[in-house]
């Protein structure tokens, strides 16, 4: 069967005996990649907002489990959100995004509207924040270098290569 829509919704439920409750049923487009904040208060997820437009950019959304409402953290941000990871204090979310042929790294607060890129060079993916929030670890590659692991301070300074798997080659 051919899909007629990518209207995917997210649900929460109490375990072991709860019933699924939708948290994104008001959006008739694609909602995906839910991640609980470290403190458990929020669920961050990616959402497209134009029904039927499968190439819509992904926004980073934040569902507040107390108020049971979602806010759009990146509506005024021009780029589509890719992979993302929570900072340990549940106040920042780090993400990657395509920009001018690169995959850059950025961050946004749980207040939203303040998304910014802090690593703009390279092809950076698989972003993870360290448990103390002082560093990020990510993979990087380019046309003349295969994928290696890198670390940077959480503001993007002091980028250091961690692996050299193909140095001999």
């Amino acid at each position: 069967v051919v899909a007629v829509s990518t209207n995917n919704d997210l649900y929460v439920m109490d375990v072991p005996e709860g019933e699924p409750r939708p948290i994104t049923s008001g959006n008739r487009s694609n909602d995906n990649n839910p991640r609980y904040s470290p403190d458990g208060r929020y669920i961050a997820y990616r959402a497209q907002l134009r029904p039927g437009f499968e190439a819509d950019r992904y926004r980073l959304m934040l569902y507040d489990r107390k108020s049971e409402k979602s806010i759009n953290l990146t509506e005024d941000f021009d780029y589509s959100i890719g992979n993302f990871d929570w900072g340990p204090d549940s106040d920042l979310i780090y993400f990657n995004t395509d920009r001018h042929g690169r995959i850059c790294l950025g961050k946004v607060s749980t207040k939203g509207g303040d998304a910014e890129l802090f690593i703009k060079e390279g092809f950076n993916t698989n972003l993870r924040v360290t448990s103390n929030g002082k560093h990020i670890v990510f993979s990087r590659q380019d046309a003349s270098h295969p994928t290696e692991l890198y670390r940077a301070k959480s503001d993007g300074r002091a980028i250091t290569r961690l692996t050299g798997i193909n140095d001999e080659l």
Side-chain angles (χ1 to χ4, degrees):
V1 174
V2 175
V4 259
S5 164
T6 55
N7 180 18
N8 299 306
D9 286 314
L10 302 177
Y11 294 79
V12 294
M13 67 182 275
D14 298 323
V15 290
E17 299 172 10
E19 291 293 319
R21 296 181 315 274
I23 65 171
T24 61
S25 60
N27 181 24
R28 296 180 336 161
S29 295
N30 193 4
D31 301 297
N32 64 38
N33 203 22
R35 301 252 170 90
Y36 278 91
S37 61
D39 66 6
R41 177 177 175 184
Y42 302 109
I43 300 172
Y45 61 96
R46 296 181 338 142
Q48 292 177 314
L49 301 180
R50 291 176 59 190
F53 184 58
E54 309 305 325
D56 191 16
R57 70 181 164 93
Y58 279 101
R59 281 79 162 183
L60 190 59
M61 305 295 287
L62 189 70
Y63 176 77
D64 186 323
R65 295 178 64 217
K66 289 181 183 176
S67 70
E68 298 184 343
K69 297 191 184 307
S70 290
I71 62 169
N72 184 338
L73 299 178
T74 59
E75 182 56 36
D76 296 329
F77 188 67
D78 286 339
Y79 306 104
S80 190
I81 301 299
N83 182 38
F84 65 91
D85 195 26
W86 280 96
D89 295 333
S90 300
D91 57 355
L92 288 175
I93 303 171
Y94 296 81
F95 58 86
N96 68 358
T97 187
D98 294 343
R99 178 183 175 263
H100 304 296
R102 308 257 191 260
I103 297 183
C104 304
L105 300 181
K107 61 186 171 184
V108 65
S109 76
T110 55
K111 293 177 180 147
D114 57 355
E116 64 175 323
L117 299 177
F118 61 91
I119 295 180
K120 298 177 184 177
E121 297 302 318
F123 192 86
N124 309 289
T125 58
N126 302 311
L127 165 72
R128 294 294 178 261
V129 181
T130 59
S131 61
N132 64 9
K134 293 182 180 182
H135 293 91
I136 56 172
V137 178
F138 54 96
S139 59
R140 175 181 270 188
Q141 67 178 354
D142 61 40
S144 58
H145 297 92
T147 303
E148 299 286 354
L149 295 179
Y150 285 77
R151 179 183 70 205
K153 291 186 178 184
S154 60
D155 62 4
R157 293 181 297 121
I159 298 173
T160 306
R161 190 173 78 163
L162 299 175
T163 61
I165 295 169
N166 292 294
D167 285 352
E168 290 183 31
L169 297 175

